[in-house]
Amino acid sequence: MVEEELPSPEELMPLSQSLITPRLALAFDIASPNHRPRQHQPPSPYAQPIPADLGDLVSGAGGDEPARTLKRPRLVWTPQLHKRFVDAVAHLGINNAVPKTIMQLMSVDGLTRENVASHLQKYRLYLKRMQGLSGGGGGGATADPTTDHLFASSPVPPHFLHPVPGLQQQRIAAAVGHPQLVAQYHRQMGQFGSSPNGQFEHPYIGKQPPIHRMGGAPLHNQAPNSNGNGGIKALTLFPTGE
DNA sequence: TTACCAATAT
DNA sequence: GATATTGGTA
């Protein structure tokens, strides 16, 4: 069987590293002279699972955050990020795979429900298109990587095309919302092999209780992406790589 | 009121 | 074309 493994720590790592140059981030965030690009929280008591972080999340209680009015750069769905998305959907079951739940299971800091909703919408169209294809030809049911190169980068679980009522993963669905359970999920998922260096110390699992996510200084990562855009900066999680 | 979802906009 | 935003609905 093909293995569906979560991105290894090493693959997730880049999430918190690359991104934009601090200089650019400051250009946006600058308001206070002593601005702190990223507050690293104290070492986590427990080894955190996978939480990949997009950028800065918490807004300090410093007072007024201009970030509330700032718009985030467009999220770029890299194959790795998409993999995580598919993985979450696969383990949730089609029925429970709704934006909020997926977002929670993914545990990607900075990722919003809207981000997921938008991607999910497109992904569903992709699945539907595939179902249509597998009904007639007799040939391969694979779509063109040319058109769907992103979606083709991650294997589509078979049951995605075969909605089986009553077979959803309600256990995982129940787990969502419980940081510890989600942590276990991620751990068992293939997140072992943590780096001996303890390089990924991550304080929090997603964003449950302590952090306010709205109105903060969410993600500031951007890449000089040569998007089809005229100059809009895009959020790049990490270099596309398989 | 929140969240989903399809449509529409950038 | 990819992602964001909107509007109607549950």
Side-chain angles (χ1 to χ4, degrees), chain A residues 8-73:
Chain A
S8 8
E10 300 136 39
E11 293 183 297
L12 256 5
M13 210 48 241
L15 252 182
S16 48
Q17 54 151 271
S18 69
L19 301 299
I20 75 183
T21 69
R23 193 200 315 180
L24 273 194
L26 290 197
F28 274 80
D29 236 312
I30 33 83
S32 335
N34 46 352
H35 169 259
R36 187 169 296 270
R38 192 166 217 291
Q39 348 177 301
H40 253 188
Q41 318 221 291
S44 49
Y46 16 66
Q48 255 359 25
I50 298 191
D53 77 302
L54 262 182
D56 201 348
L57 228 278
V58 297
S59 57
D64 54 341
E65 296 292 293
R68 179 182 294 194
T69 53
L70 291 179
K71 288 189 180 296
R72 318 176 165 224

Side-chain angles (χ1 to χ4, degrees), chain A residues 17-179:
Chain A
Q17 54 151 271
S18 69
L19 301 299
I20 75 183
T21 69
R23 193 200 315 180
L24 273 194
L26 290 197
F28 274 80
D29 236 312
I30 33 83
S32 335
N34 46 352
H35 169 259
R36 187 169 296 270
R38 192 166 217 291
Q39 348 177 301
H40 253 188
Q41 318 221 291
S44 49
Y46 16 66
Q48 255 359 25
I50 298 191
D53 77 302
L54 262 182
D56 201 348
L57 228 278
V58 297
S59 57
D64 54 341
E65 296 292 293
R68 179 182 294 194
T69 53
L70 291 179
K71 288 189 180 296
R72 318 176 165 224
R74 287 165 64 107
L75 173 67
V76 175
W77 285 87
T78 63
Q80 286 88 351
L81 189 57
H82 175 65
K83 179 75 189 311
R84 210 171 165 116
F85 166 85
V86 172
D87 213 38
V89 174
H91 286 270
L92 280 170
I94 303 295
N95 304 308
N96 290 318
V98 291
K100 187 180 181 180
T101 314
I102 297 172
M103 177 193 64
Q104 290 176 143
L105 237 198
M106 287 178 72
S107 296
V108 175
D109 220 358
L111 188 67
T112 68
R113 189 174 57 85
E114 303 292 0
N115 286 141
V116 176
S118 183
H119 191 67
L120 179 62
Q121 181 178 12
K122 195 183 170 192
Y123 187 61
R124 281 171 172 162
L125 290 176
Y126 168 74
L127 292 181
K128 181 169 295 184
R129 184 143 41 90
M130 263 197 159
Q131 294 180 29
L133 261 60
S134 37
T142 51
D144 292 88
T146 307
T147 28
D148 310 293
H149 61 294
L150 208 210
F151 291 151
S153 66
S154 292
V156 177
H159 54 279
F160 276 26
L161 306 174
H162 294 177
V164 179
L167 205 58
Q168 54 249 242
Q169 316 267 344
Q170 33 189 8
R171 295 299 156 79
I172 301 233
V176 174
H178 300 254

